[in-house]
Amino acid sequence: MTPMVAAVGRIWRDGRRVERAAYVVGAVLFAGGLANAVVLLASGGTWLGPVSLRKAVTFGLSFGLTLATVAWATSYLTVRGRTVLLGAFLLACVTEVALVTMQAWRGVPSHFNFETGFDAAVSMTLAAGGGVIVLTGLGFTVAAFLSPGAMAPSQRLAVRFGLLVLMVALATGAVMIARGVGEARGGDPQLAYTTAGALKPLHAVAMHAILVLPGLAWLLRFTGLAERQRLRLVWLAVVADAVLTAVIGIEAFTGIPPFSAPAVYTGLSAVALAVLAGTVIFALFSALRGKESPDYFRASNP
């Protein structure tokens, strides 16, 4: 058994009940997203528009990954009431995916849809679920700075910055919902989708820093590098992710389409993405032939 496989086994074995539940539910949500992707491909349906089955695909895949990652990345925080926070986060993720998937299969928009009483209730429940995710994410982020637990500096940096960028994604989602609801209530649902959709690139890019950065720090655990070297590599990835997020954010809020952005924006995004991908690839290949570092973090929660 390789050190990485053994470490994954320990994550499951040492996890508390709520963490294991999050891992299982996250896997189910992700599998549901894959199943919807197969159906969409097989049926030849459209990938565009507010009633596309694509929404069920993206919500299932994204929330499945995010739920499992947040459960793992925050498992070392010494925050009081963490079980309640993670439980609420889990239920909100399930609610979001279930309702979006249901509406996609019904062939009606899931967000900004006030055509019937039922659809309005679904839209408002999705908005409320988003609010729960924002609040729980904020609780985890504050805890990461105030009581990070027993983590190596490289992992602590990765978790802290990953949660900060996750909050950027969640705040962007809240702005999307607020803008969209305002336009839909004003009688222009199509404008609601257009207005909210302009912020999708930022929401999508920022959503998964919590997966990439802590995952990178975890891989570096098996490279044999000293902690100061691992910290430098994580800092490099953090700066790259910050640049990428900032550029995508500027484009989103100024209405610049990502594929027709000025050369300077495109160049910055390309360099940042290349650096980020390069650090992950280096860590992965180094970890495959390395060994577990003894100066990594250990769980300190009771």
Side-chain angles (χ1 to χ4, degrees), residues 71-116:
W72 166 70
T74 63
S75 63
Y76 301 92
L77 302 180
T78 54
V79 55
R80 184 173 299 177
R82 181 179 174 278
T83 297
V84 174
L85 278 177
L86 185 56
F89 188 85
L90 185 157
L91 290 175
C93 288
V94 171
T95 300
E96 296 287 300
V97 175
L99 292 180
V100 167
T101 301
M102 177 189 70
Q103 295 294 75
W105 276 92
R106 291 181 63 223
V108 298
S110 54
H111 293 81
F112 322 134
N113 183 358
F114 303 99
E115 291 297 319
T116 69

Side-chain angles (χ1 to χ4, degrees), residues 231-265:
L231 182 60
R232 289 171 185 164
L233 284 171
V234 172
W235 264 115
L236 180 62
V238 163
V239 171
D241 191 83
V243 171
L244 179 63
T245 303
V247 172
I248 298 298
I250 292 172
E251 293 174 352
F253 281 99
T254 57
I256 300 174
F259 294 107
S260 59
V264 63
Y265 289 169

Side-chain angles (χ1 to χ4, degrees), residues 154-273:
S154 57
Q155 188 73 19
R156 184 165 60 245
L157 171 64
V159 170
R160 283 175 169 174
F161 189 79
L163 285 169
L164 280 176
V165 180
L166 177 63
M167 289 307 302
V168 171
L170 298 180
T172 303
V175 172
M176 291 167 62
I177 290 174
R179 285 185 174 183
V181 169
E183 297 293 348
R185 290 290 194 187
D188 195 342
Q190 187 56 50
L191 182 59
Y193 301 123
T194 302
T195 302
L199 299 181
K200 281 183 180 179
L202 175 59
H203 183 65
V205 168
M207 191 78 174
H208 297 296
I210 189 60
L211 169 63
V212 174
L213 295 174
L216 168 65
W218 184 83
L219 285 173
L220 289 171
R221 164 185 183 175
F222 305 97
T223 60
L225 296 174
E227 170 56 21
R228 66 179 181 278
Q229 296 171 303
R230 301 202 302 267
L231 182 60
R232 289 171 185 164
L233 284 171
V234 172
W235 264 115
L236 180 62
V238 163
V239 171
D241 191 83
V243 171
L244 179 63
T245 303
V247 172
I248 298 298
I250 292 172
E251 293 174 352
F253 281 99
T254 57
I256 300 174
F259 294 107
S260 59
V264 63
Y265 289 169
T266 302
L268 281 173
S269 296
V271 170
L273 188 59

